[in-house]
Amino acid sequence: MAVVIDGAEIARRVKERVASGVAELEKEKGVKACLSVILVGDDPASISYVTGKEKALAEAGMADRSVRLPADVSQEELLALIAELNEDDSVHGILVQLPLPGHIDSRKVIMAIKPEKDVDGFHPVNLGNMVIGSRSFIPCTPNGVVKLLKETGIQTDGARAVIVGRSNIVGKPLSILLSGRDCNSTVTLCHTGTRNLPEITRQADILVAAVGRPGVITADMVKPGAAVIDVGVNRVPDSSKKSGFRLTGDVDFEAVKEKASFITPVPKGVGPMTIAMLMYNTLEAACLAYGYDKVRF
Ligand code: GUN
């Protein structure tokens, strides 16, 4: 029976260290680290993510310059807002919540954010620097997964890691991080073109599910003793809940937990880590803006 990894507790510890870094920067440089989260439209899941980010900002003692825009805002208006925030020295990080409405080109929007303020780590400059191992903002969810593994004491060095899902936000960057020298894993990145997926996932010491479909990872796909990290956050209808839905991951949790050595739950697994790493990146952006290099952990 697996140890259930308490992502909320590990995230709490990271956020506590960020909060003391925020206080240190303010004391030494008189600067309050500040993030602007831009939400376009009223997708319920996005609203819930953005609310979580705003709560974490307040808890970390950071300034919050979040902006909510209507779903029909034009691409030009959004780009103009980003240009304004790029030039505003009191804003250190800019995050545009994805997905964006269909009439807006997400790539153009991501490219418009100054790499020094791109705390999501989605700008090609940051992704490129990450690939070659130079200093960059690391995308928050993959960084959170690595932090969970390290803080839990799961051995990545020499491990066989299998990631299911090749999104730009999770799967692709995570494959780079896990195969880098700091993790030193041997990585296989699976996707819709993968033949015989269960045969590959059964080889994993570390299995990461980042597909976005409930229950795609079943117990027969897991090697006994594997560490299973579930990045999926899926809303499934549940009439017993006030909201009418419950959250579930990509992994068949009840069956897989009998077979794995470690498993993350949904919620309270990877999700809180994403927010914690966003707070970390925002502090880092503020420190970089003032050439302050003392905050380290
Ligand atoms: N939508 C889902 N995950 C993310 C994320 O990490 N960053 C942004 N900006 N949007 C998201």
Side-chain angles (χ1 to χ4, degrees):
M1 174 108 139
V3 170
V4 179
I5 299 173
D6 188 348
E9 169 56 22
I10 297 171
R12 192 192 59 73
R13 296 204 297 261
V14 173
K15 287 188 289 185
E16 210 171 77
R17 278 175 274 164
V18 170
S20 61
V22 170
E24 182 185 322
L25 180 68
E26 193 165 3
K27 185 160 160 262
E28 296 297 325
K29 297 279 177 184
V31 172
K32 212 181 194 28
C34 173
L35 175 66
S36 176
V37 178
I38 303 171
L39 173 63
V40 181
D42 49 14
D43 171 63
S46 291
I47 291 175
S48 141
Y49 293 142
V50 168
T51 307
K53 289 167 185 174
E54 288 173 341
K55 187 167 158 264
L57 282 174
E59 283 168 6
M62 297 202 221
D64 179 1
R65 286 275 300 278
S66 296
V67 182
R68 300 198 179 198
L69 298 171
D72 62 356
V73 72
S74 70
Q75 181 169 294
E76 288 65 36
E77 281 171 278
L78 178 57
L79 291 175
L81 172 64
I82 292 170
E84 193 183 309
L85 294 168
N86 277 340
E87 295 313 310
D88 186 336
D89 289 341
S90 66
V91 174
H92 309 111
I94 303 169
L95 177 150
V96 180
Q97 186 66 30
L98 301 176
L100 287 166
H103 66 281
I104 297 177
D105 182 344
S106 306
R107 287 181 198 218
K108 273 210 174 112
V109 170
I110 289 167
M111 297 275 278
I113 299 170
K114 254 192 195 171
E116 304 92 296
K117 296 192 179 190
D118 167 40
V119 287
D120 254 333
F122 293 167
H123 192 287
V125 165
N126 282 316
L127 287 174
N129 279 327
M130 183 185 73
V131 170
I132 62 171
S134 292
R135 193 168 179 174
S136 68
F137 292 114
I138 310 281
C140 304
T141 301
N143 207 13
V145 169
V146 169
K147 191 86 183 156
L148 267 186
L149 293 171
K150 301 252 175 200
E151 294 275 321
T152 309
I154 293 164
Q155 179 89 349
T156 57
D157 198 330
R160 178 89 197 250
V162 174
I163 302 163
V164 187
R166 61 177 154 192
S167 70
N168 289 337
I169 292 181
V170 185
K172 267 190 232 170
L174 184 58
S175 71
I176 303 294
L177 289 181
L178 284 174
S179 55
R181 288 191 186 278
D182 284 350
C183 291
N184 231 15
S185 303
T186 300
V187 176
T188 304
L189 182 56
C190 299
H191 44 74
T192 46
T194 299
R195 285 195 213 119
N196 208 348
L197 180 65
E199 191 181 292
I200 297 171
T201 57
R202 275 197 293 269
Q203 294 172 29
D205 304 310
I206 297 168
L207 177 59
V208 182
V211 179
R213 228 166 340 116
V216 286
I217 303 296
T218 48
D220 63 303
M221 297 167 78
V222 176
K223 177 166 89 171
V228 180
I229 308 294
D230 192 350
V231 182
V233 184
N234 307 294
R235 290 181 167 210
V236 296
D238 185 341
S239 55
S240 72
K241 302 274 180 197
K242 212 164 71 186
S243 60
F245 69 86
R246 68 188 152 82
L247 292 180
T248 183
D250 292 348
V251 175
D252 178 356
F253 182 84
E254 291 305 325
V256 171
K257 89 169 191 296
E258 301 301 323
K259 219 169 164 188
S261 59
F262 291 94
I263 189 167
T264 60
V266 177
K268 294 190 167 60
V270 174
M273 290 303 293
T274 298
I275 294 186
M277 300 325 284
L278 172 65
M279 299 301 114
Y280 173 80
N281 279 354
T282 304
L283 172 60
E284 181 98 335
C287 288
L288 283 175
Y290 289 85
Y292 190 66
D293 211 19
K294 288 245 171 47
V295 176
R296 281 274 158 263
F297 54 85

